[in-house]
């Protein structure tokens, strides 16, 4: 199991699975704030949506979605995510669809989920390298951008080189591995 899966699982469990039990005892504005946080988290964890462009308001367990998305599919997805949060009674989806809308986040090609995956991939690979006796982890620099892992540095032999590449390729959300490793004996 990768570290990323463990972290993501912990977040999902703490925000979605455990919260319905706790939310049942909450009332009024406290419950609405709790639901709002759960919806925001669910939107943030979805890699297809830019949660920075979607505003949520909850009043008496009724959700209002406003903001701008780039397609009807994104609008429907955001509405379905909100509807599926335990404790939500209804969703008024007022999201505006504008295919030409480009937020600052979208212009850089980044969203929270992508950044999260990239950071957790880099950290996970570094941990795997550190735990492996055949690889000198401090001699390898790992960078991840948009799912592409770039490896630079040195390894002691071809076996360590191949192992370093395979470890990097084995992580979820890795689309490619750029090998800039040098073998030095």
């Amino acid at each position: 199991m990768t570290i990323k899966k463990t972290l993501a699982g912990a977040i999902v469990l703490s925000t979605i699975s455990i919260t319905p039990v706790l939310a049942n005892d909450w009332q009024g504005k406290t419950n609405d704030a709790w639901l709002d946080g759960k919806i925001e988290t669910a939107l943030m964890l979805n890699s297809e949506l830019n949660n920075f462009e979607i505003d949520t308001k909850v009043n008496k367990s009724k959700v209002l979605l406003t903001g701008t998305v780039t397609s009807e599919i994104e609008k429907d997805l955001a509405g379905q995510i909100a509807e599926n949060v335990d404790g939500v009674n209804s969703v008024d989806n007022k999201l505006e669809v504008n295919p030409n809308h480009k937020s600052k986040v979208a212009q850089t090609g980044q969203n929270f989920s992508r950044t999260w995956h990239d950071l957790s991939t880099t950290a996970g690979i570094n941990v795997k390298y550190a735990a492996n006796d055949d690889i000198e982890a401090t001699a390898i620099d790992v960078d991840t951008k948009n799912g592409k892992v770039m490896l630079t540095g040195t390894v002691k032999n071809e076996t360590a080189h191949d192992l370093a590449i395979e470890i990097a390729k084995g992580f979820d959300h890795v689309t490619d591995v750029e090998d800039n490793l040098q073998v030095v004996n």
Side-chain angles (χ1 to χ4, degrees):
M1 176 182 286
T2 64
I3 289 175
K4 179 180 67 177
K5 286 182 181 176
T6 303
L7 290 173
I11 289 171
V12 170
L13 283 176
S14 66
T15 58
I16 297 172
S17 298
I18 297 171
T19 54
V21 174
L22 298 174
N24 290 337
D25 295 336
W26 293 14
Q27 297 177 1
K29 290 183 181 182
T30 306
N31 186 56
D32 288 345
W34 187 253
L35 286 173
D36 193 44
K38 290 188 339 183
I39 295 164
E40 290 283 345
T41 301
L43 292 171
M44 177 178 61
L45 291 174
N46 186 288
S47 61
E48 302 302 317
L49 296 172
N50 180 354
N51 67 300
F52 297 109
E53 300 295 317
I54 300 172
D55 296 315
T56 62
K57 291 183 182 157
V58 180
N59 185 17
K60 298 180 182 175
S61 301
K62 296 177 183 176
V63 179
L64 172 64
L65 298 176
T66 58
T68 306
V69 293
T70 59
S71 70
E72 286 292 332
I73 292 171
E74 288 180 359
K75 179 178 179 177
D76 291 342
L77 178 60
Q80 288 175 6
I81 289 170
E83 286 174 2
N84 287 319
V85 171
D86 191 43
V88 170
N89 290 337
S90 65
V91 175
D92 186 9
N93 192 341
K94 299 283 187 184
L95 288 169
E96 177 185 327
V97 176
N98 180 352
N100 300 316
H101 179 72
K102 296 285 185 197
S103 69
K104 288 183 181 179
V105 174
Q107 290 169 4
T108 63
Q110 297 280 327
N111 66 30
F112 178 84
S113 180
R114 176 77 265 159
T115 301
W116 172 264
H117 290 309
D118 287 348
L119 291 172
S120 60
T121 297
T122 296
I125 292 169
N126 280 319
V127 167
K128 287 270 192 179
Y129 288 171
N132 193 301
D133 293 336
D134 295 322
I135 297 175
E136 191 174 327
T138 58
I140 300 175
D141 182 44
V142 180
D143 289 308
T144 309
K145 181 162 179 140
N146 294 324
K148 182 176 182 178
V149 175
M150 283 104 14
L151 301 175
T152 55
T154 60
V155 290
K156 59 186 175 184
N157 55 41
E158 285 296 326
T159 302
H161 173 267
D162 295 345
L163 182 59
I165 300 298
E166 287 306 309
I167 288 172
K169 285 181 177 179
F171 273 77
D172 288 343
H173 304 288
V174 170
T175 58
D176 191 22
V177 176
E178 182 180 315
D179 174 17
N180 296 314
L181 295 173
Q182 296 178 356
V183 177
V184 290
N185 295 328

